[in-house]
Amino acid sequence: MSGVMKRMGMIFRAKANKALDRAEDPRETLDYSYQKQLELLQKVRRGVADVATSRKRLELQLNQLQSQSSKLEDQGRKALALGREDLAREALSRRAALQQQVTDLETQHQTLQGEEEKLTLAAQRLQAKVDAFRTKKETIKATYTAAQAQTRIGEAFSGISEEMGDVGMAIQRAEDKTAQLQARAGAIDELLASGALDDQSGTAKDDIQAELDRLSGGTDVELELQRMKAELAGGTSQAIGTGGGSSSQQQAIEGGTGTGNASRTQSPQSQQDTPETPRFDKQ
Protein backbone atom coordinates (compact mmCIF):
# COMPACT_ATOMS: atom_id res chain seq x y z
CA MET A 1 0.00 0.00 0.00
CA SER A 2 2.84 2.36 0.82
CA GLY A 3 4.39 1.69 -2.59
CA VAL A 4 1.13 2.56 -4.31
CA MET A 5 0.84 5.78 -2.32
CA LYS A 6 4.41 6.73 -3.19
CA ARG A 7 3.76 6.06 -6.86
CA MET A 8 0.56 8.12 -6.77
CA GLY A 9 2.42 10.94 -5.05
CA MET A 10 5.18 10.82 -7.67
CA ILE A 11 2.64 10.88 -10.50
CA PHE A 12 0.81 13.81 -8.90
CA ARG A 13 4.03 15.75 -8.44
CA ALA A 14 5.07 15.01 -12.05
CA LYS A 15 1.68 16.19 -13.35
CA ALA A 16 1.79 19.29 -11.19
CA ASN A 17 5.34 20.06 -12.27
CA LYS A 18 4.39 19.73 -15.94
CA ALA A 19 1.34 21.95 -15.45
CA LEU A 20 3.42 24.59 -13.65
CA ASP A 21 6.11 24.42 -16.31
CA ARG A 22 3.48 24.94 -18.99
CA ALA A 23 1.96 27.89 -17.10
CA GLU A 24 5.31 29.47 -16.20
CA ASP A 25 6.51 32.45 -18.23
CA PRO A 26 10.29 33.05 -17.85
CA ARG A 27 9.80 36.78 -18.31
CA GLU A 28 7.38 36.96 -15.39
CA THR A 29 9.72 34.86 -13.26
CA LEU A 30 12.64 37.17 -14.01
CA ASP A 31 10.57 40.24 -13.19
CA TYR A 32 9.51 38.66 -9.89
CA SER A 33 13.13 37.80 -9.00
CA TYR A 34 14.20 41.34 -9.82
CA GLN A 35 11.42 42.69 -7.61
CA LYS A 36 12.57 40.51 -4.73
CA GLN A 37 16.15 41.71 -5.13
CA LEU A 38 14.97 45.31 -5.05
CA GLU A 39 13.07 44.59 -1.84
CA LEU A 40 16.18 43.02 -0.31
CA LEU A 41 18.27 46.00 -1.39
CA GLN A 42 15.72 48.31 0.20
CA LYS A 43 15.92 46.35 3.48
CA VAL A 44 19.71 46.58 3.48
CA ARG A 45 19.51 50.32 2.91
CA ARG A 46 17.05 50.67 5.75
CA GLY A 47 19.44 48.69 7.96
CA VAL A 48 22.28 51.03 7.01
CA ALA A 49 20.07 53.99 7.82
CA ASP A 50 19.09 52.48 11.20
CA VAL A 51 22.72 51.79 12.12
CA ALA A 52 23.70 55.29 11.06
CA THR A 53 20.88 56.68 13.22
CA SER A 54 22.05 54.69 16.24
CA ARG A 55 25.60 55.84 15.67
CA LYS A 56 24.48 59.44 15.45
CA ARG A 57 22.51 59.05 18.69
CA LEU A 58 25.58 57.67 20.46
CA GLU A 59 27.60 60.59 19.18
CA LEU A 60 25.09 63.02 20.66
CA GLN A 61 25.18 61.17 23.99
CA LEU A 62 28.98 61.21 23.92
CA ASN A 63 28.97 64.93 23.31
CA GLN A 64 26.60 65.44 26.23
CA LEU A 65 28.66 63.24 28.56
CA GLN A 66 31.88 64.91 27.54
CA SER A 67 30.29 68.31 28.15
CA GLN A 68 29.15 67.19 31.61
CA SER A 69 32.58 65.76 32.32
CA SER A 70 34.23 69.06 31.41
CA LYS A 71 31.74 70.93 33.59
CA LEU A 72 32.43 68.67 36.60
CA GLU A 73 36.15 69.16 36.11
CA ASP A 74 35.71 72.93 36.16
CA GLN A 75 33.56 72.65 39.29
CA GLY A 76 36.24 70.60 41.05
CA ARG A 77 38.89 73.22 40.26
CA LYS A 78 36.67 76.00 41.60
CA ALA A 79 35.95 74.01 44.78
CA LEU A 80 39.67 73.49 45.41
CA ALA A 81 40.26 77.17 44.76
CA LEU A 82 37.68 78.01 47.41
CA GLY A 83 39.10 75.49 49.85
CA ARG A 84 36.25 73.10 49.55
CA GLU A 85 38.08 69.86 49.04
CA ASP A 86 34.97 67.81 49.72
CA LEU A 87 33.10 69.47 46.86
CA ALA A 88 36.09 68.99 44.62
CA ARG A 89 36.21 65.29 45.53
CA GLU A 90 32.46 64.89 44.76
CA ALA A 91 32.83 66.61 41.41
CA LEU A 92 35.75 64.40 40.46
CA SER A 93 33.82 61.27 41.54
CA ARG A 94 30.91 62.19 39.31
CA ARG A 95 33.31 63.01 36.51
CA ALA A 96 34.88 59.52 36.83
CA ALA A 97 31.46 57.85 36.55
CA LEU A 98 30.66 59.90 33.47
CA GLN A 99 34.01 59.01 32.03
CA GLN A 100 33.18 55.32 32.34
CA GLN A 101 29.94 55.92 30.47
CA VAL A 102 31.85 57.83 27.82
CA THR A 103 34.23 54.92 27.41
CA ASP A 104 31.34 52.44 27.02
CA LEU A 105 29.61 54.71 24.53
CA GLU A 106 32.79 55.14 22.52
CA THR A 107 33.11 51.34 22.33
CA GLN A 108 29.51 51.03 21.12
CA HIS A 109 30.10 53.87 18.68
CA GLN A 110 33.07 52.09 17.15
CA THR A 111 31.05 48.86 16.87
CA LEU A 112 28.15 50.63 15.20
CA GLN A 113 30.50 52.46 12.89
CA GLY A 114 32.04 49.15 11.81
CA GLU A 115 28.59 47.64 11.25
CA GLU A 116 27.58 50.68 9.27
CA GLU A 117 30.60 50.39 7.03
CA LYS A 118 29.91 46.68 6.46
CA LEU A 119 26.26 47.29 5.63
CA THR A 120 27.18 50.16 3.33
CA LEU A 121 29.64 47.96 1.45
CA ALA A 122 27.08 45.14 1.27
CA ALA A 123 24.46 47.58 -0.04
CA GLN A 124 26.85 48.78 -2.73
CA ARG A 125 27.67 45.24 -3.79
CA LEU A 126 24.01 44.27 -3.79
CA GLN A 127 23.20 47.36 -5.84
CA ALA A 128 25.82 46.33 -8.41
CA LYS A 129 24.37 42.80 -8.55
CA VAL A 130 20.84 44.13 -8.92
CA ASP A 131 21.92 46.40 -11.78
CA ALA A 132 23.72 43.52 -13.50
CA PHE A 133 20.70 41.27 -12.98
CA ARG A 134 18.40 43.91 -14.44
CA THR A 135 20.55 44.19 -17.57
CA LYS A 136 20.71 40.41 -17.93
CA LYS A 137 16.98 40.14 -17.26
CA GLU A 138 16.10 42.57 -20.02
CA THR A 139 18.47 40.77 -22.41
CA ILE A 140 16.95 37.38 -21.62
CA LYS A 141 13.42 38.77 -21.95
CA ALA A 142 14.20 40.31 -25.34
CA THR A 143 15.83 37.08 -26.55
CA TYR A 144 12.91 34.99 -25.29
CA THR A 145 10.37 37.28 -26.95
CA ALA A 146 12.28 37.18 -30.26
CA ALA A 147 12.59 33.38 -30.09
CA GLN A 148 8.89 33.06 -29.27
CA ALA A 149 7.92 35.29 -32.19
CA GLN A 150 10.26 33.39 -34.53
CA THR A 151 8.77 30.09 -33.37
CA ARG A 152 5.23 31.31 -33.96
CA ILE A 153 6.14 32.59 -37.43
CA GLY A 154 7.81 29.27 -38.28
CA GLU A 155 4.79 27.34 -37.02
CA ALA A 156 2.49 29.59 -39.03
CA PHE A 157 4.52 29.06 -42.21
CA SER A 158 4.76 25.32 -41.67
CA GLY A 159 1.09 25.06 -40.70
CA ILE A 160 1.73 23.21 -37.43
CA SER A 161 0.47 25.93 -35.14
CA GLU A 162 -2.92 25.53 -33.51
CA GLU A 163 -4.49 28.51 -35.30
CA MET A 164 -3.09 27.65 -38.72
CA GLY A 165 -3.96 24.00 -38.15
CA ASP A 166 -7.60 24.97 -37.65
CA VAL A 167 -7.48 27.10 -40.79
CA GLY A 168 -5.90 24.27 -42.77
CA MET A 169 -8.53 21.82 -41.56
CA ALA A 170 -11.29 24.26 -42.52
CA ILE A 171 -9.81 24.67 -46.00
CA GLN A 172 -9.49 20.90 -46.37
CA ARG A 173 -13.11 20.42 -45.32
CA ALA A 174 -14.23 23.09 -47.79
CA GLU A 175 -12.26 21.45 -50.60
CA ASP A 176 -13.70 18.03 -49.73
CA LYS A 177 -17.26 19.37 -49.70
CA THR A 178 -16.68 21.18 -53.00
CA ALA A 179 -15.31 18.03 -54.63
CA GLN A 180 -18.24 16.02 -53.25
CA LEU A 181 -20.78 18.51 -54.62
CA GLN A 182 -19.04 18.57 -58.02
CA ALA A 183 -19.06 14.78 -58.17
CA ARG A 184 -22.74 14.70 -57.17
CA ALA A 185 -23.65 17.30 -59.81
CA GLY A 186 -21.76 15.35 -62.50
CA ALA A 187 -23.45 12.11 -61.49
CA ILE A 188 -26.89 13.74 -61.59
CA ASP A 189 -26.17 15.16 -65.06
CA GLU A 190 -25.12 11.75 -66.31
CA LEU A 191 -28.23 10.11 -64.83
CA LEU A 192 -30.48 12.77 -66.35
CA ALA A 193 -28.80 12.34 -69.74
CA SER A 194 -29.21 8.57 -69.64
CA GLY A 195 -32.84 8.84 -68.59
CA ALA A 196 -32.32 7.04 -65.31
CA LEU A 197 -33.81 10.04 -63.50
CA ASP A 198 -36.94 11.96 -64.45
CA ASP A 199 -36.53 15.66 -65.10
CA GLN A 200 -39.39 17.35 -63.24
CA SER A 201 -38.97 20.53 -65.28
CA GLY A 202 -40.00 18.64 -68.48
CA THR A 203 -37.01 19.80 -70.48
CA ALA A 204 -35.24 16.47 -70.53
CA LYS A 205 -35.59 14.06 -73.51
CA ASP A 206 -36.06 10.34 -73.44
CA ASP A 207 -33.34 7.92 -74.45
CA ILE A 208 -34.77 7.33 -77.97
CA GLN A 209 -34.86 11.05 -78.75
CA ALA A 210 -31.37 11.46 -77.31
CA GLU A 211 -30.08 8.69 -79.59
CA LEU A 212 -31.84 10.20 -82.64
CA ASP A 213 -30.35 13.60 -81.85
CA ARG A 214 -26.93 12.04 -81.58
CA LEU A 215 -27.30 10.24 -84.94
CA SER A 216 -28.65 13.34 -86.69
CA GLY A 217 -25.86 15.37 -85.24
CA GLY A 218 -23.36 12.86 -86.62
CA THR A 219 -25.07 12.92 -90.04
CA ASP A 220 -24.91 16.69 -90.18
CA VAL A 221 -21.23 16.55 -89.46
CA GLU A 222 -20.66 13.98 -92.21
CA LEU A 223 -22.63 16.05 -94.75
CA GLU A 224 -20.69 19.14 -93.88
CA LEU A 225 -17.43 17.20 -94.22
CA GLN A 226 -18.46 15.90 -97.70
CA ARG A 227 -19.42 19.41 -98.81
CA MET A 228 -16.06 20.79 -97.74
CA LYS A 229 -14.27 17.95 -99.59
CA ALA A 230 -16.31 18.68 -102.75
CA GLU A 231 -15.45 22.37 -102.60
CA LEU A 232 -11.79 21.58 -102.22
CA ALA A 233 -11.91 19.09 -105.17
CA GLY A 234 -13.80 21.57 -107.42
CA GLY A 235 -11.31 24.30 -106.74
CA THR A 236 -8.42 22.02 -107.70
CA SER A 237 -10.09 20.87 -110.98
CA GLN A 238 -10.83 24.45 -112.04
CA ALA A 239 -7.20 25.39 -111.50
CA ILE A 240 -6.03 22.43 -113.60
CA GLY A 241 -8.58 23.17 -116.40
CA THR A 242 -7.47 26.76 -116.68
CA GLY A 243 -3.85 25.73 -117.18
CA GLY A 244 -4.75 23.01 -119.87
CA GLY A 245 -6.94 25.43 -121.88
CA SER A 246 -4.13 27.83 -122.40
CA SER A 247 -1.92 25.07 -123.77
CA SER A 248 -4.66 23.79 -126.13
CA GLN A 249 -5.31 27.29 -127.49
CA GLN A 250 -1.62 27.74 -128.15
CA GLN A 251 -1.43 24.38 -129.98
CA ALA A 252 -4.59 25.19 -131.97
CA ILE A 253 -3.15 28.47 -133.11
CA GLU A 254 0.04 26.80 -134.20
CA GLY A 255 -1.85 23.92 -135.90
CA GLY A 256 -4.24 26.28 -137.68
CA THR A 257 -1.41 28.19 -139.20
CA GLY A 258 0.18 25.02 -140.54
CA THR A 259 -3.13 23.71 -142.01
CA GLY A 260 -3.83 26.94 -143.86
CA ASN A 261 -0.52 26.88 -145.55
CA ALA A 262 -0.95 23.23 -146.52
CA SER A 263 -4.40 23.87 -148.05
CA ARG A 264 -3.05 26.71 -150.08
CA THR A 265 -0.29 24.55 -151.50
CA GLN A 266 -2.57 21.56 -152.20
CA SER A 267 -3.31 20.76 -155.83
CA PRO A 268 -6.82 21.09 -157.32
CA GLN A 269 -6.83 17.39 -158.03
CA SER A 270 -6.54 16.73 -154.32
CA GLN A 271 -9.44 19.02 -153.65
CA GLN A 272 -11.56 17.23 -156.27
CA ASP A 273 -10.73 13.84 -154.86
CA THR A 274 -12.00 14.84 -151.41
CA PRO A 275 -15.37 13.18 -150.96
CA GLU A 276 -18.30 15.41 -150.39
CA THR A 277 -20.05 15.26 -147.12
CA PRO A 278 -23.59 14.03 -147.62
CA ARG A 279 -26.29 16.48 -146.67
CA PHE A 280 -29.62 15.53 -145.32
CA ASP A 281 -32.48 17.80 -145.96
CA LYS A 282 -34.68 18.49 -143.05
CA GLN A 283 -38.16 17.36 -143.97
Side-chain angles (χ1 to χ4, degrees):
M1 190 66 182
S2 61
V4 174
M5 294 300 296
K6 288 181 180 179
R7 186 176 179 183
M8 290 178 62
M10 183 180 295
I11 293 173
F12 177 77
R13 287 192 297 270
K15 296 289 185 181
N17 187 24
K18 186 176 182 179
L20 290 175
D21 185 61
R22 202 166 42 241
E24 182 184 7
D25 190 347
R27 294 168 295 186
E28 296 176 355
T29 304
L30 290 173
D31 290 335
Y32 180 75
S33 300
Y34 178 70
Q35 186 65 32
K36 287 297 182 181
Q37 290 184 8
L38 288 179
E39 292 177 0
L40 179 61
L41 179 61
Q42 189 66 24
K43 289 180 180 180
V44 173
R45 288 177 176 175
R46 278 200 297 267
V48 174
D50 292 340
V51 172
T53 301
S54 299
R55 176 182 57 80
K56 191 66 178 178
R57 187 178 299 169
L58 287 177
E59 289 178 356
L60 292 176
Q61 290 179 1
L62 282 172
N63 291 331
Q64 290 178 359
L65 291 176
Q66 288 176 357
S67 177
Q68 291 178 6
S69 177
S70 298
K71 182 179 179 181
L72 289 173
E73 186 178 0
D74 293 338
Q75 288 177 353
R77 286 194 181 94
K78 288 180 180 180
L80 285 176
L82 294 174
R84 295 291 304 271
E85 185 176 350
D86 54 343
L87 291 176
R89 187 177 289 108
E90 182 65 24
L92 291 175
S93 297
R94 292 181 180 180
R95 180 177 178 276
L98 289 177
Q99 193 64 35
Q100 183 63 36
Q101 293 181 7
V102 169
T103 302
D104 294 339
L105 288 177
E106 286 179 348
T107 302
Q108 294 180 8
H109 180 269
Q110 291 177 359
T111 302
L112 288 176
Q113 191 172 6
E115 291 295 330
E116 182 182 359
E117 291 177 355
K118 289 180 181 180
L119 287 175
T120 303
L121 182 60
Q124 292 176 355
R125 291 178 178 176
L126 184 58
Q127 180 67 50
K129 288 183 178 180
V130 170
D131 293 340
F133 181 79
R134 180 180 60 188
T135 303
K136 188 175 182 179
K137 172 181 72 72
E138 295 299 329
T139 303
I140 293 174
K141 286 175 62 179
T143 305
Y144 180 83
T145 303
Q148 189 179 32
Q150 187 176 2
T151 302
R152 288 179 178 176
I153 293 173
E155 289 179 351
F157 277 120
S158 60
I160 62 175
S161 64
E162 184 176 355
E163 294 82 2
M164 295 303 296
D166 295 338
V167 173
M169 291 177 64
I171 293 174
Q172 185 64 37
R173 288 195 298 270
E175 290 179 350
D176 292 341
K177 288 183 179 180
T178 303
Q180 183 178 1
L181 290 175
Q182 290 176 349
R184 185 177 180 84
I188 292 174
D189 291 340
E190 290 180 359
L191 292 174
L192 287 173
S194 63
L197 294 179
D198 293 334
D199 188 3
Q200 300 298 327
S201 62
T203 58
K205 301 178 181 179
D206 56 4
D207 54 350
I208 298 176
Q209 186 62 36
E211 185 66 20
L212 291 175
D213 292 341
R214 187 181 65 81
L215 293 175
S216 63
T219 305
D220 294 340
V221 171
E222 291 295 331
L223 291 175
E224 184 68 19
L225 182 60
Q226 294 296 331
R227 186 184 62 81
M228 293 176 67
K229 288 182 177 180
E231 290 179 356
L232 291 175
T236 305
S237 300
Q238 185 177 1
I240 294 172
T242 304
S246 299
S247 301
S248 300
Q249 290 176 3
Q250 185 67 25
Q251 291 177 0
I253 292 170
E254 293 176 357
T257 304
T259 306
N261 293 332
S263 62
R264 284 194 295 266
T265 57
Q266 192 176 5
S267 62
Q269 184 66 31
S270 300
Q271 292 179 0
Q272 292 177 1
D273 294 339
T274 302
E276 245 181 70
T277 304
R279 295 183 181 178
F280 297 93
D281 293 335
K282 188 181 293 186
Q283 293 182 359

